[in-house]
PDB file of all heavy atoms in Angstrom:
ATOM      1  N   ALA A  88     106.841  98.749 112.910  1.00  0.00           N
ATOM      2  CA  ALA A  88     107.196  98.482 111.555  1.00  0.00           C
ATOM      3  C   ALA A  88     107.295  97.073 111.206  1.00  0.00           C
ATOM      4  O   ALA A  88     107.756  96.176 111.938  1.00  0.00           O
ATOM      5  CB  ALA A  88     108.666  99.047 111.347  1.00  0.00           C
ATOM      6  N   THR A  89     106.684  96.785 109.925  1.00  0.00           N
ATOM      7  CA  THR A  89     106.785  95.341 109.475  1.00  0.00           C
ATOM      8  C   THR A  89     108.220  95.135 108.835  1.00  0.00           C
ATOM      9  O   THR A  89     108.811  96.104 108.618  1.00  0.00           O
ATOM     10  CB  THR A  89     105.638  95.118 108.372  1.00  0.00           C
ATOM     11  OG1 THR A  89     106.046  95.913 107.264  1.00  0.00           O
ATOM     12  CG2 THR A  89     104.342  95.408 108.921  1.00  0.00           C
ATOM     13  N   PRO A  90     108.546  93.929 108.528  1.00  0.00           N
ATOM     14  CA  PRO A  90     109.722  93.699 107.700  1.00  0.00           C
ATOM     15  C   PRO A  90     109.830  94.548 106.418  1.00  0.00           C
ATOM     16  O   PRO A  90     110.872  95.110 106.120  1.00  0.00           O
ATOM     17  CB  PRO A  90     109.774  92.180 107.411  1.00  0.00           C
ATOM     18  CG  PRO A  90     108.930  91.564 108.640  1.00  0.00           C
ATOM     19  CD  PRO A  90     107.908  92.557 108.901  1.00  0.00           C
ATOM     20  N   PHE A  91     108.751  94.678 105.769  1.00  0.00           N
ATOM     21  CA  PHE A  91     108.784  95.551 104.481  1.00  0.00           C
ATOM     22  C   PHE A  91     108.839  96.874 104.869  1.00  0.00           C
ATOM     23  O   PHE A  91     109.770  97.723 104.201  1.00  0.00           O
ATOM     24  CB  PHE A  91     107.405  95.318 103.698  1.00  0.00           C
ATOM     25  CG  PHE A  91     107.395  96.255 102.548  1.00  0.00           C
ATOM     26  CD1 PHE A  91     108.100  95.913 101.462  1.00  0.00           C
ATOM     27  CD2 PHE A  91     106.684  97.438 102.469  1.00  0.00           C
ATOM     28  CE1 PHE A  91     108.159  96.887 100.260  1.00  0.00           C
ATOM     29  CE2 PHE A  91     106.662  98.337 101.523  1.00  0.00           C
ATOM     30  CZ  PHE A  91     107.298  98.071 100.368  1.00  0.00           C
ATOM     31  N   ASP A  92     108.225  97.472 105.886  1.00  0.00           N
ATOM     32  CA  ASP A  92     108.466  98.885 106.347  1.00  0.00           C
ATOM     33  C   ASP A  92     109.892  99.134 106.584  1.00  0.00           C
ATOM     34  O   ASP A  92     110.458 100.163 106.184  1.00  0.00           O
ATOM     35  CB  ASP A  92     107.575  99.136 107.535  1.00  0.00           C
ATOM     36  CG  ASP A  92     106.120  99.040 107.299  1.00  0.00           C
ATOM     37  OD1 ASP A  92     105.731  99.408 106.218  1.00  0.00           O
ATOM     38  OD2 ASP A  92     105.465  98.759 108.303  1.00  0.00           O
ATOM     39  N   TRP A  93     110.532  98.117 107.346  1.00  0.00           N
ATOM     40  CA  TRP A  93     111.924  98.317 107.750  1.00  0.00           C
ATOM     41  C   TRP A  93     112.820  98.247 106.520  1.00  0.00           C
ATOM     42  O   TRP A  93     113.888  98.938 106.401  1.00  0.00           O
ATOM     43  CB  TRP A  93     112.276  97.397 108.808  1.00  0.00           C
ATOM     44  CG  TRP A  93     113.507  97.633 109.535  1.00  0.00           C
ATOM     45  CD1 TRP A  93     114.545  96.693 109.776  1.00  0.00           C
ATOM     46  CD2 TRP A  93     113.883  98.861 110.201  1.00  0.00           C
ATOM     47  NE1 TRP A  93     115.432  97.382 110.590  1.00  0.00           N
ATOM     48  CE2 TRP A  93     115.199  98.704 110.831  1.00  0.00           C
ATOM     49  CE3 TRP A  93     113.303 100.030 110.238  1.00  0.00           C
ATOM     50  CZ2 TRP A  93     115.732  99.714 111.514  1.00  0.00           C
ATOM     51  CZ3 TRP A  93     113.795 101.069 111.001  1.00  0.00           C
ATOM     52  CH2 TRP A  93     115.186 100.867 111.627  1.00  0.00           C
ATOM     53  N   ALA A  94     112.493  97.298 105.568  1.00  0.00           N
ATOM     54  CA  ALA A  94     113.350  97.288 104.337  1.00  0.00           C
ATOM     55  C   ALA A  94     113.345  98.544 103.563  1.00  0.00           C
ATOM     56  O   ALA A  94     114.332  99.005 103.059  1.00  0.00           O
ATOM     57  CB  ALA A  94     112.838  96.073 103.536  1.00  0.00           C
ATOM     58  N   ALA A  95     112.104  99.147 103.526  1.00  0.00           N
ATOM     59  CA  ALA A  95     111.988 100.396 102.807  1.00  0.00           C
ATOM     60  C   ALA A  95     112.751 101.492 103.522  1.00  0.00           C
ATOM     61  O   ALA A  95     113.596 102.360 102.917  1.00  0.00           O
ATOM     62  CB  ALA A  95     110.612 100.787 102.750  1.00  0.00           C
ATOM     63  N   THR A  96     112.689 101.605 104.885  1.00  0.00           N
ATOM     64  CA  THR A  96     113.328 102.662 105.605  1.00  0.00           C
ATOM     65  C   THR A  96     114.833 102.442 105.411  1.00  0.00           C
ATOM     66  O   THR A  96     115.647 103.437 105.201  1.00  0.00           O
ATOM     67  CB  THR A  96     113.071 102.489 107.181  1.00  0.00           C
ATOM     68  OG1 THR A  96     111.671 102.627 107.374  1.00  0.00           O
ATOM     69  CG2 THR A  96     113.878 103.434 107.988  1.00  0.00           C
ATOM     70  N   MET A  97     115.363 101.296 105.304  1.00  0.00           N
ATOM     71  CA  MET A  97     116.852 101.057 105.195  1.00  0.00           C
ATOM     72  C   MET A  97     117.362 101.050 103.790  1.00  0.00           C
ATOM     73  O   MET A  97     118.449 100.996 103.473  1.00  0.00           O
ATOM     74  CB  MET A  97     117.335  99.790 105.882  1.00  0.00           C
ATOM     75  CG  MET A  97     116.872  99.685 107.319  1.00  0.00           C
ATOM     76  SD  MET A  97     117.529 100.990 108.300  1.00  0.00           S
ATOM     77  CE  MET A  97     119.421 100.580 108.164  1.00  0.00           C
ATOM     78  N   GLY A  98     116.348 101.139 102.753  1.00  0.00           N
ATOM     79  CA  GLY A  98     116.670 101.091 101.444  1.00  0.00           C
ATOM     80  C   GLY A  98     117.132  99.766 100.879  1.00  0.00           C
ATOM     81  O   GLY A  98     117.882  99.692 100.034  1.00  0.00           O
ATOM     82  N   SER A  99     116.636  98.614 101.558  1.00  0.00           N
ATOM     83  CA  SER A  99     116.931  97.292 101.115  1.00  0.00           C
ATOM     84  C   SER A  99     116.041  96.888 100.067  1.00  0.00           C
ATOM     85  O   SER A  99     115.101  96.153 100.353  1.00  0.00           O
ATOM     86  CB  SER A  99     116.876  96.477 102.450  1.00  0.00           C
ATOM     87  OG  SER A  99     117.850  96.832 103.438  1.00  0.00           O
ATOM     88  N   GLY A 100     116.372  97.213  98.827  1.00  0.00           N
ATOM     89  CA  GLY A 100     115.516  96.982  97.639  1.00  0.00           C
ATOM     90  C   GLY A 100     115.288  95.460  97.384  1.00  0.00           C
ATOM     91  O   GLY A 100     114.230  95.024  97.007  1.00  0.00           O
TER      92      GLY A 100
END
Side-chain angles (χ1 to χ4, degrees):
T89 67
F91 174 76
D92 296 330
W93 197 230
T96 297
M97 302 302 292
S99 299

